Amino acid sequence: MSDFTALEHDVYLFHQGNLRYSYELLGAHGDTQNGNTGTRFMVWAPNARQVSVVGDFNDWDGREHPMKKWNENGIWHTFIPHLEKGEIYKYEILTPHGHLQLKADPYAFSSELRPDTASVVYPLDNNYRWNDDLWMKRRDEMNVYESPMSIYELHLGSWKNVEPEVYYNYRDYADEIIPYVKELGYTHIELLPITEHPFDRSWGYQITGYYAVTSRYGTPDDFRYFVDQCHQHGLGVILDWVPGHFCKDAHGLRRFDGEALYEYANELKAEKPQWGTLTFDFGREEVQSFLISNAIYWLKEFHLDGLRVDAVASMLYLDFGKENDEWEPNEHGGRENLEAIAFIKKMNEAIFEEVPNVLMMAEESTSYPLVSAPTYIGGLGFNYKWNMGWMNDMLRYMEMDPVFRKYNHNLITFSLFYAFSENFVLPISHDEVVHGKKSLLNKMPGDYWQKFANLRAFLAFMYAHPGKKLLFMGSEFGQFDEWKDIGELDWDLLEYDSHDSTLSFVKQLHQFYKDMPALWELDHHEDGFSWIDPHNFEQSVLSFIRCSRNPKDQVLVVCNFTPVVYHDYKVGVPHPGEFEEIFNSDAEHFGGSGQRNGLKASSTPEPWQGQEHHIKMTIPPLAVTFWKKTDGSKGE
């Protein structure tokens, strides 16, 4: 009997699309057979006429280590004694057309540094010792929906580097990034994909090694160290994950065994002309096992706290990014990819069964319903969705000269019509500050002072608005240039007062945000928000109340999106009492004009803006102020 027979049940589940840990079956694994230690190889290549393992250890000669075909469904296997960690290898595949091709291992845990493309034997049963037990326990007990969440999105290679295209190690990045992000008060770091990819400027979104930590920054254990250190310092880690498509590089998944295997055989379904990539065949069971296992792999093996799933809309719709002659409807005549929808639901169900209390965030840019609802009520099963509508409306509004904002007031109020239809994250991501879109600061209109004032007002409004928060690196200190994916952030700007003050503003905004349960506890519930006045388009002023479960925690928010100062401005309040300004984005130490309300405002028992009482205040220019009752009476 073969030593491989103990794996037969896993092989069966793999072909059924139900092997959630297929990375423990396929790929290169340390093993012992017939008293010899070495490496076991398994690969799925059903159309191949022959498969061999090749590398430096056999002079890349496919005759030396041919693989045996397990079954008619196309799993090939072999065991090579004395082959140890660090050896490079590929699969030599004889296609049904008689061509030999070399492919990297789809399940490789490590790869050569680009431009080299071979896989590297890196056993899964490593000896890394985690020290994040306290974090993992706290994560399991946390109600993430009713907790503050502010995410710092970053691309490792262009945050800082040795020189363009020469990068630090994950361990070095841990030592640099964690104190910085922690000091600013973020709760999570989100990394652009660190799965292996051949082209630096794809930022990791066009992948060849789904299970391989990119060797640009070190080894899998180096990355474990990065995550471990984040957790020990109280920071969660989210990874961008790309199940929607893969690149066409010759050593990757494209026509892996000479035929369409991981991609659809139907080119109209396979091709993503917008990106020059290929769509996974979501209806194929082995592909389901591959992708679901991959998500679980990152969450389990690297203790990640969540995945941000890239380009979900491109998975959901057959016509995404395509002309009329580039797609064909589904069996019901619609544009939805029914197989992808079923796969997404199956994937999320599996993930939350295997790794509860993680974040599954969909970057979904359409109005597809129930993205963040459970599958048992018809949802896709994510627990968060990026609010792309809010992002587009707000950036369009903020880029306008304040003179014209009153004609577009609906752009800042419309989001509250649907703010509680999903569990939303408010994202200002890398996509908004690259390819000629300008940096967040440079989107802002006006002179030098007004640009910074607009930026502070925008960020303060973002943190007052229902939904969790995400901001791309560099925006926190007002980088003028858009993101340079080759190079690093303009750290020298912090030598200038306006940028240093902006960084201080973001730090204090985070601390204020975390101290105010009203700004996050009921983020996803209508009881957490109520308008005071959304209608004052003439002055571009709006006011509202954020609430927590404790009525005493109510926070009044007043926003002014013009450079005009309004004195003795009346704002309705639902209850009598004294109100104190507790945060002002126009404070002098943030670089503002210093138009502040130093004295408490006592309410007057005269109705205003639909409320029974009102207070008078000074509203600073291009600014957001936060107010709270101070007399100890209940806000109910």
Side-chain angles (χ1 to χ4, degrees):
M1 181 179 290
S2 167
D3 289 335
F4 287 89
T5 55
L7 304 174
E8 285 182 352
H9 184 63
D10 285 347
V11 170
Y12 170 79
L13 291 176
F14 173 73
H15 292 306
Q16 294 297 308
N18 294 321
L19 187 60
R20 295 176 176 180
Y21 295 84
S22 62
Y23 60 88
E24 295 178 349
L25 174 72
L26 291 108
H29 295 272
D31 203 352
T32 300
Q33 294 191 19
N34 299 321
N36 294 314
T37 60
T39 302
R40 183 192 80 226
F41 293 89
M42 296 186 75
V43 65
W44 177 55
N47 299 297
R49 288 163 54 180
Q50 180 57 54
V51 182
S52 299
V53 183
V54 295
D56 288 343
F57 52 88
N58 62 13
D59 294 325
W60 299 88
D61 187 343
R63 296 169 297 182
E64 291 294 317
H65 294 100
M67 304 181 78
K68 297 177 181 178
K69 196 170 187 179
W70 181 291
N71 57 20
E72 69 279 3
N73 291 320
I75 285 185
W76 299 76
H77 68 94
T78 193
F79 172 78
I80 303 180
H82 313 303
L83 194 68
E84 299 179 349
K85 177 180 177 179
E87 291 280 2
I88 63 171
Y89 70 99
K90 281 187 177 181
Y91 294 117
E92 182 187 86
I93 297 174
L94 180 62
T95 74
H97 313 289
H99 303 299
L100 280 177
Q101 59 185 29
L102 291 176
K103 290 286 188 178
D105 187 348
Y107 283 87
F109 303 130
S110 184
S111 299
E112 285 188 293
L113 178 63
R114 53 90 177 95
D116 295 324
T117 58
S119 301
V120 179
V121 175
Y122 200 99
L124 192 62
D125 54 345
N126 65 84
N127 295 317
Y128 185 84
R129 298 186 63 176
W130 290 91
N131 292 288
D132 63 349
D133 290 351
L134 183 62
W135 169 271
M136 299 298 280
K137 182 177 184 296
R138 189 166 64 232
R139 188 185 82 180
D140 289 342
E141 296 171 349
M142 179 184 292
N143 180 345
V144 67
Y145 307 105
E146 297 186 4
S147 300
M149 185 189 301
S150 180
I151 304 166
Y152 185 71
E153 185 193 32
L154 67 95
H155 175 256
L156 283 175
S158 57
W159 190 80
K160 276 187 180 178
N161 53 54
V162 179
E163 60 184 74
E165 300 183 273
V166 179
Y167 307 118
Y168 294 107
N169 185 276
Y170 292 109
R171 295 172 185 263
D172 300 319
Y173 280 121
D175 294 342
E176 289 267 344
I177 290 171
I178 292 171
Y180 177 79
V181 176
K182 182 71 174 175
E183 175 71 13
L184 285 176
Y186 286 93
T187 64
H188 290 73
I189 289 171
E190 180 174 320
L191 299 172
L192 272 62
I194 53 88
T195 36
E196 193 58 80
H197 52 284
F199 182 46
D200 287 358
R201 303 196 73 178
S202 78
W203 317 329
Y205 291 100
Q206 295 199 8
I207 297 169
T208 49
Y210 272 78
Y211 287 84
V213 174
T214 179
S215 52
R216 285 169 177 78
Y217 315 122
T219 68
D221 279 353
D222 293 333
F223 181 57
R224 287 185 175 94
Y225 175 88
F226 178 92
V227 177
D228 198 3
Q229 288 296 309
C230 284
H231 287 173
Q232 291 181 51
H233 289 83
L235 290 170
V237 183
I238 301 164
L239 178 65
D240 278 13
W241 185 58
V242 190
H245 63 120
F246 57 88
C247 61
K248 297 181 177 180
D249 292 64
H251 66 286
L253 298 178
R254 179 178 181 267
R255 301 185 70 85
F256 183 78
D257 59 3
E259 300 288 348
L261 190 64
Y262 287 89
E263 70 270 34
Y264 284 109
N266 180 344
E267 289 190 5
L268 291 179
K269 293 179 75 172
E271 292 287 342
K272 276 192 164 56
Q274 181 179 0
W275 298 319
T277 55
L278 294 169
T279 305
F280 280 102
D281 183 346
F282 300 111
R284 190 155 194 169
E285 288 82 359
E286 293 88 352
V287 174
Q288 294 172 16
S289 288
F290 174 82
L291 288 174
I292 292 172
S293 296
N294 188 242
I296 292 171
Y297 167 78
W298 288 107
L299 295 168
K300 293 277 278 191
E301 299 296 328
F302 295 93
H303 289 205
L304 293 175
D305 302 286
L307 300 175
R308 175 268 198 183
V309 182
D310 181 61
V312 172
S314 77
M315 301 168 68
L316 295 175
Y317 296 105
L318 296 165
D319 63 344
F320 181 89
K322 295 184 178 182
E323 302 295 332
N324 288 336
D325 61 347
E326 293 177 333
W327 70 283
E328 54 190 20
N330 62 35
E331 61 194 62
H332 304 298
R335 52 193 284 260
E336 297 80 13
N337 186 333
L338 303 178
E339 296 163 345
I341 293 169
F343 163 75
I344 289 171
K345 293 179 179 181
K346 179 178 180 178
M347 172 192 74
N348 282 323
E349 288 172 356
I351 288 169
F352 286 113
E353 287 176 10
E354 298 294 332
V355 202
N357 299 313
V358 294
L359 301 166
M360 288 299 293
M361 297 177 162
E363 188 225 1
E364 202 287 306
S365 55
T366 74
S367 57
Y368 192 94
L370 301 176
V371 171
S372 59
T375 58
Y376 60 77
I377 62 170
L380 288 181
F382 294 98
N383 55 3
Y384 275 96
K385 173 181 174 174
W386 276 23
N387 193 337
M388 310 294 280
W390 173 87
M391 176 272 295
N392 283 311
D393 286 349
M394 279 306 303
L395 291 184
R396 181 181 166 200
Y397 180 82
M398 294 305 301
E399 288 186 81
M400 293 177 182
D401 188 298
V403 171
F404 302 109
R405 286 175 177 171
K406 68 180 181 180
Y407 304 113
N408 296 275
H409 194 69
N410 63 301
L411 290 174
I412 53 171
T413 59
F414 179 67
S415 60
L416 273 304
F417 282 103
Y418 62 87
F420 309 106
S421 62
E422 302 273 5
N423 299 329
F424 279 122
V425 173
L426 309 182
I428 301 298
S429 74
H430 63 280
D431 278 329
E432 315 319 320
V433 295
V434 73
H435 294 329
K437 295 179 182 178
K438 298 185 290 189
S439 71
L440 187 58
L441 175 66
N442 220 12
K443 292 178 191 288
M444 304 298 162
D447 59 23
Y448 185 82
W449 183 90
Q450 289 177 340
K451 282 182 177 293
F452 283 95
N454 270 301
L455 176 62
R456 293 192 304 272
F458 168 72
L459 292 175
F461 176 71
M462 174 181 176
Y463 276 72
H465 190 288
K468 308 308 181 186
K469 327 299 177 187
L470 179 142
L471 191 66
F472 186 60
M473 64 182 195
S475 300
E476 74 275 11
F477 59 79
Q479 181 152 315
F480 261 111
D481 289 343
E482 68 177 20
W483 174 39
K484 300 179 288 292
D485 52 12
I486 300 294
E488 64 177 18
L489 296 183
D490 295 327
W491 296 107
D492 56 341
L493 289 177
L494 289 172
E495 298 174 10
Y496 299 90
D497 288 344
S498 294
H499 299 277
D500 185 57
S501 297
T502 300
L503 189 71
S504 177
F505 166 76
V506 170
K507 176 183 175 181
Q508 293 188 44
L509 179 64
H510 275 132
Q511 187 60 57
F512 175 74
Y513 165 70
K514 289 192 285 190
D515 288 345
M516 294 291 134
L519 298 182
W520 41 261
E521 190 172 65
L522 296 177
D523 260 334
H524 313 305
H525 198 287
E526 292 180 357
D527 291 345
F529 179 94
S530 60
W531 282 115
I532 296 296
D533 180 23
H535 304 300
N536 187 0
F537 66 91
E538 285 287 353
Q539 294 174 294
S540 297
V541 173
L542 66 160
S543 53
F544 54 87
I545 288 176
R546 292 299 310 276
C547 307
S548 72
R549 298 194 183 282
N550 184 346
K552 292 184 179 180
D553 290 337
Q554 286 187 1
V555 174
L556 169 66
V557 184
V558 183
C559 311
N560 176 14
F561 290 104
T562 72
V564 179
V565 181
Y566 301 113
H567 296 288
D568 293 324
Y569 189 94
K570 293 166 66 174
V571 176
V573 292
H575 311 292
E578 290 190 327
F579 291 78
E580 181 181 13
E581 182 184 276
I582 54 175
F583 192 89
N584 185 333
S585 70
D586 189 51
E588 287 181 301
H589 57 275
F590 297 147
S593 67
Q595 295 288 331
R596 305 189 69 178
N597 293 270
L599 300 176
K600 296 178 182 179
S602 298
S603 65
T604 300
E606 293 177 1
W608 189 253
Q609 296 173 335
Q611 309 298 322
E612 293 298 316
H613 311 268
H614 71 265
I615 58 175
K616 289 185 179 180
M617 64 179 67
T618 293
I619 299 185
L622 296 172
V624 176
T625 58
F626 296 78
W627 297 73
K628 195 171 182 181
K629 286 185 66 178
T630 62
D631 58 357
S633 62
K634 288 187 176 181
E636 57 184 355

mmCIF file of all heavy atoms in Angstrom, residues 11 249 293 361 537 546 572 604:
data_model
loop_
_atom_site.group_PDB
_atom_site.id
_atom_site.type_symbol
_atom_site.label_atom_id
_atom_site.label_comp_id
_atom_site.label_asym_id
_atom_site.label_seq_id
_atom_site.Cartn_x
_atom_site.Cartn_y
_atom_site.Cartn_z
ATOM 1 N N VAL A 11 -8.228 13.955 -0.740
ATOM 2 C CA VAL A 11 -8.295 14.051 -2.201
ATOM 3 C C VAL A 11 -9.753 14.090 -2.663
ATOM 4 O O VAL A 11 -10.132 14.889 -3.528
ATOM 5 C CB VAL A 11 -7.534 12.879 -2.857
ATOM 6 C CG1 VAL A 11 -7.803 12.838 -4.353
ATOM 7 C CG2 VAL A 11 -6.037 12.999 -2.576
ATOM 8 N N ASP A 249 1.192 35.623 -16.538
ATOM 9 C CA ASP A 249 2.613 35.282 -16.659
ATOM 10 C C ASP A 249 2.801 33.778 -16.859
ATOM 11 O O ASP A 249 2.092 32.965 -16.267
ATOM 12 C CB ASP A 249 3.358 35.746 -15.424
ATOM 13 C CG ASP A 249 3.403 37.263 -15.357
ATOM 14 O OD1 ASP A 249 2.327 37.885 -15.237
ATOM 15 O OD2 ASP A 249 4.507 37.845 -15.418
ATOM 16 N N SER A 293 -9.474 27.567 0.687
ATOM 17 C CA SER A 293 -8.313 27.202 1.501
ATOM 18 C C SER A 293 -7.326 28.349 1.600
ATOM 19 O O SER A 293 -6.699 28.563 2.644
ATOM 20 C CB SER A 293 -7.609 25.976 0.911
ATOM 21 O OG SER A 293 -8.434 24.842 0.952
ATOM 22 N N MET A 361 -14.090 41.897 4.414
ATOM 23 C CA MET A 361 -14.515 43.193 3.902
ATOM 24 C C MET A 361 -14.562 43.167 2.376
ATOM 25 O O MET A 361 -13.568 42.833 1.733
ATOM 26 C CB MET A 361 -13.546 44.279 4.368
ATOM 27 C CG MET A 361 -13.505 44.451 5.871
ATOM 28 S SD MET A 361 -12.283 45.680 6.356
ATOM 29 C CE MET A 361 -12.824 46.044 8.024
ATOM 30 N N PHE A 537 -28.228 74.429 2.720
ATOM 31 C CA PHE A 537 -27.299 74.398 1.586
ATOM 32 C C PHE A 537 -26.743 75.770 1.276
ATOM 33 O O PHE A 537 -25.630 75.900 0.745
ATOM 34 C CB PHE A 537 -27.993 73.797 0.356
ATOM 35 C CG PHE A 537 -29.122 74.623 -0.185
ATOM 36 C CD1 PHE A 537 -28.896 75.568 -1.163
ATOM 37 C CD2 PHE A 537 -30.418 74.456 0.285
ATOM 38 C CE1 PHE A 537 -29.937 76.343 -1.676
ATOM 39 C CE2 PHE A 537 -31.454 75.207 -0.204
ATOM 40 C CZ PHE A 537 -31.221 76.158 -1.184
ATOM 41 N N ARG A 546 -24.641 62.220 17.026
ATOM 42 C CA ARG A 546 -24.243 60.814 17.094
ATOM 43 C C ARG A 546 -24.529 60.317 18.512
ATOM 44 O O ARG A 546 -24.308 61.028 19.483
ATOM 45 C CB ARG A 546 -22.760 60.629 16.768
ATOM 46 C CG ARG A 546 -22.375 60.908 15.328
ATOM 47 C CD ARG A 546 -23.067 59.988 14.310
ATOM 48 N NE ARG A 546 -22.976 58.585 14.626
ATOM 49 C CZ ARG A 546 -21.952 57.784 14.322
ATOM 50 N NH1 ARG A 546 -20.910 58.285 13.683
ATOM 51 N NH2 ARG A 546 -21.977 56.498 14.639
ATOM 52 N N GLY A 572 -30.345 73.836 16.711
ATOM 53 C CA GLY A 572 -31.350 73.187 17.534
ATOM 54 C C GLY A 572 -30.768 72.041 18.343
ATOM 55 O O GLY A 572 -29.877 71.322 17.866
ATOM 56 N N THR A 604 -31.556 77.691 24.956
ATOM 57 C CA THR A 604 -32.719 78.578 25.069
ATOM 58 C C THR A 604 -33.962 77.767 24.740
ATOM 59 O O THR A 604 -33.982 77.059 23.722
ATOM 60 C CB THR A 604 -32.588 79.757 24.083
ATOM 61 O OG1 THR A 604 -31.395 80.480 24.398
ATOM 62 C CG2 THR A 604 -33.793 80.675 24.177
#
